[in-house]
């Protein structure tokens, strides 16, 4: 199992972005899993923030509440194994898991904060997207603790993971990512692409134009 561990932030360039024609508007349906304690209202607020960013590319994400459930395991890895086994059902272009925050998390955060202050390492991961198909991922949607707020927020994590879901990798400068978004939008309009499916693409250029192609790559 390979994850995109997300700690880096890329730098945007408004002028480079403005020079690219992103084509007509398109929508991406995000089947969203709400962990116990995460509300629909919070979900909609996160998506509003994400959509403000995507507006720059004439893209819109639509949250479809897919499941409400207790966390399938304590670690990010356990959540991921669960996500790996899910099919992209008709109506889903991507799967997003919104992780909540439990008492156990708060204890864990307390200790990792200690490690962070002690050796200058931050062990916590705020989100991840699968690197094989870029079709599914999770974010911690509710952290508000002490130092973390200085670096990231659930909103900025979602925007970051959102770029992975559009096929972007990690880069210091985002120009490559703009071109990737232009590519994926063009791919969405090709006749080989499954009707009603917003395709996925990897940073290496591997394309998935049908839900079943995504599925067979995951198996
Ligand atoms: Zn990342």
């Amino acid at each position: 199992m390979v994850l995109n561990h997300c700690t880096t932030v890329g730098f945007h360039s408004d002028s480079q972005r403005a020079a690219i024609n992103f084509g007509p508007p398109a929508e991406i349906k995000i089947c969203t899993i709400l962990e116990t304690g995460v509300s629909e209202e919070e979900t909609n607020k996160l998506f509003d923030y994400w959509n403000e960013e995507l507006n720059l590319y004439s893209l819109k994400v639509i949250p479809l509440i897919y499941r409400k459930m207790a966390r399938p395991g304590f670690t990010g890895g356990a959540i991921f194994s669960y996500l790996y086994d899910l099919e992209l059902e008709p109506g889903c272009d991507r799967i997003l898991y919104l992780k909540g925050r439990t008492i156990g998390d708060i204890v864990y955060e307390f200790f990792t904060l200690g490690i962070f202050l002690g050796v200058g390492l931050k062990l916590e991961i705020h989100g991840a997207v699968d690197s094989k198909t870029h079709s599914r991922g999770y974010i911690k949607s509710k952290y508000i603790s002490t130092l973390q707020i200085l670096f990231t927020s659930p909103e900025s994590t979602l925007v970051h993971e959102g770029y992975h879901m559009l096929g972007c990798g990690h880069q210091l400068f985002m120009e490559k990512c703009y071109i990737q978004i232009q590519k994926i939008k063009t791919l969405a309009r090709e006749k080989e692409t499954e009707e009603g499916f917003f395709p996925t693409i990897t940073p290496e250029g591997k394309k998935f134009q049908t839900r079943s192609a995504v599925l067979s790559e995951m198996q």
Side-chain angles (χ1 to χ4, degrees):
M1 187 166 63
V2 189
L3 305 182
N4 285 301
H5 286 232
C6 296
T7 49
T8 52
V9 178
F11 293 99
H12 284 282
S13 159
D14 290 339
S15 59
Q16 282 174 347
R17 184 160 46 199
I20 294 171
N21 178 3
F22 291 103
E27 290 182 347
I28 311 172
K29 299 173 291 299
I30 313 286
C31 286
T32 307
I33 301 170
L34 277 56
E35 190 178 287
T36 311
V38 180
S39 71
E40 290 189 28
E41 197 190 340
E42 286 167 316
T43 304
N44 289 333
K45 270 172 80 175
L46 283 167
F47 271 77
D48 287 347
Y49 187 92
W50 189 7
N51 271 323
E52 267 180 46
E53 179 92 4
L54 291 181
N55 198 26
L56 297 163
Y57 312 99
S58 293
L59 273 175
K60 189 177 181 192
V61 279
I62 311 217
L64 302 169
I65 307 299
Y66 180 60
R67 264 167 217 187
K68 293 183 181 181
M69 57 182 281
R71 190 177 305 170
F74 187 70
T75 62
I79 294 173
F80 242 84
S81 334
Y82 173 78
L83 290 178
Y84 254 67
D85 290 337
L86 293 178
E87 273 185 47
L88 276 184
E89 287 176 24
C92 298
D93 297 322
R94 305 287 187 273
I95 299 172
L96 174 70
Y97 183 98
L98 297 179
K99 189 180 174 204
R101 193 162 181 253
T102 64
I103 295 293
D105 294 332
I106 293 165
V107 171
Y108 182 76
E109 283 163 20
F110 176 80
F111 285 108
T112 52
L113 181 65
I115 293 164
F116 172 55
L117 291 175
V119 300
L121 255 182
K122 197 160 158 57
L123 294 180
E124 251 189 307
I125 300 163
H126 295 294
V129 165
D130 87 88
S131 57
K132 266 184 167 177
T133 67
H134 288 232
S135 66
R136 58 206 67 208
Y138 80 92
I139 67 156
K140 290 169 81 175
S141 63
K142 281 178 91 83
Y143 60 91
I144 41 164
S145 78
T146 49
L147 276 180
Q148 295 177 358
I149 204 78
L150 297 176
F151 304 115
T152 52
S153 65
E155 288 83 5
S156 64
T157 304
L158 180 57
V159 165
H160 178 103
E161 303 308 332
Y163 279 115
H164 287 318
M165 286 188 173
L166 294 170
C168 297
H170 284 138
Q171 54 262 308
L172 193 54
F173 298 100
M174 294 295 278
E175 190 181 14
K176 238 173 109 182
C177 180
Y178 306 148
I179 291 164
Q180 190 78 332
I181 292 172
Q182 187 188 38
K183 257 189 215 160
I184 200 172
K185 286 191 74 184
T186 306
L187 193 65
R189 297 192 297 270
E190 279 182 6
K191 64 176 191 316
E192 291 78 14
T193 298
E194 182 183 334
E195 176 108 30
F197 177 57
F198 193 88
T200 73
I201 190 169
T202 68
E204 299 75 34
K206 192 156 188 193
K207 299 164 186 171
F208 300 92
Q209 290 173 274
T210 62
R211 290 181 177 86
S212 57
V214 171
L215 180 67
S216 55
E217 184 74 12
M218 303 295 296
Q219 283 166 346

